[in-house]
Amino acid sequence: IIQSGTVTRGWIGVEAQEITAELAESFGLAKPVGALVTGVDRSSPADKAGLQPGDVVLGVNGQKVDNSADLPRIIGEQKPGSVVRLSIWRDRKARDINVTLGEQAGEKVLTASPERKSDSTSNKLGLNGRALTGQEASRLGVPGGIVVEGTNGPAAKAGLQNGDVILGINNQAITSIDQFRRLIESAGSRFALLVQRGNSRIFVPLRMD
């Protein structure tokens, strides 16, 4: 990140949803944990490894996947090209499957560089994040957004969470990180962020003072 201003993330190419108590019962799970795979991108690492819709990912390299938000975060922390062991639940039985990770396109992150610390949005808002990929934006039906990957300061106090997607500031839609920075700088001390959290969209008020 320091050298290039980009972040490299592992990628497997799946869509997943939360496991409810009702779904856990349907799939024969003792409790509602894991990430339920609802879609597998064609020719993706997951597709090549044989992952299927209806599989429930319970762990990655021994690290538990408690909910659907855990899966992209844990996978994203792994190095592209590495082989990870997914613990999955299929046909009411546990099994392991190995996946060779692909690479998610590197995106500019909202973090300070040594040369421009005062110009970092994260210094003012207390936010680290990345731009939505084109595929992610298309899936959400939005022109763009910021995926939250770390918070402190005002962002943390407002309750922003890792995995939240910031879609707008007040009534202005987000289209890029540069535009997001400009809107933050001109928004004043109090404003609201439109956030996609799971399947819901909410406004989160922020106070910069």
Side-chain angles (χ1 to χ4, degrees):
I1 293 175
I2 293 174
Q3 292 177 346
S4 64
T6 62
V7 59
T8 303
R9 298 178 181 80
W11 170 76
I12 59 173
V14 299
E15 296 179 41
Q17 75 176 72
E18 207 77 7
I19 294 281
T20 63
E22 291 80 7
L23 285 170
E25 184 177 359
S26 297
F27 284 93
L29 285 165
K31 56 182 179 179
V33 295
L36 174 60
V37 176
T38 59
V40 179
D41 294 344
R42 183 174 299 177
S43 299
S44 67
D47 188 28
K48 293 175 181 177
L51 210 62
Q52 305 170 5
D55 288 342
V56 180
V57 182
L58 300 174
V60 179
N61 288 341
Q63 185 175 353
K64 290 182 179 180
V65 174
D66 290 322
N67 53 59
S68 60
D70 285 344
L71 182 59
R73 174 182 60 79
I74 295 172
I75 291 295
E77 292 171 352
Q78 311 302 314
K79 183 178 180 180
S82 63
V83 178
V84 299
R85 186 183 77 257
L86 300 184
S87 300
I88 68 170
W89 184 262
R90 178 188 292 173
D91 296 330
R92 297 177 179 264
K93 294 183 292 186
R95 64 179 70 188
D96 290 338
I97 184 171
N98 292 328
V99 181
T100 301
L101 300 185
E103 180 178 348
Q104 190 175 114
E107 300 288 341
K108 293 292 182 179
V109 295
L110 299 179
T111 189
S113 65
E115 297 82 6
R116 300 183 63 191
K117 287 186 179 180
S118 62
D119 191 40
S120 171
T121 302
S122 64
N123 285 346
K124 179 178 180 180
L125 192 58
L127 174 71
N128 286 337
R130 65 171 177 84
L132 285 175
T133 65
Q135 184 179 22
E136 289 170 336
S138 177
R139 190 175 298 157
L140 290 174
V142 296
I146 307 297
V147 181
V148 176
E149 295 186 326
T151 63
N152 56 69
K157 290 179 181 178
L160 286 175
Q161 305 171 9
N162 289 355
D164 284 349
V165 181
I166 301 172
L167 301 176
I169 299 178
N170 292 338
N171 62 344
Q172 181 69 52
I174 301 300
T175 58
S176 69
I177 282 186
D178 286 341
Q179 180 235 19
F180 178 68
R181 286 195 180 104
R182 291 194 298 270
L183 289 173
I184 290 294
E185 291 297 328
S186 62
S189 62
R190 299 187 184 186
F191 51 90
L193 299 179
L194 178 60
V195 172
Q196 176 94 26
R197 179 173 294 166
N199 294 323
S200 302
R201 293 186 182 181
I202 58 174
F203 274 102
V204 177
L206 268 87
R207 295 181 58 176
M208 304 301 293
D209 53 352

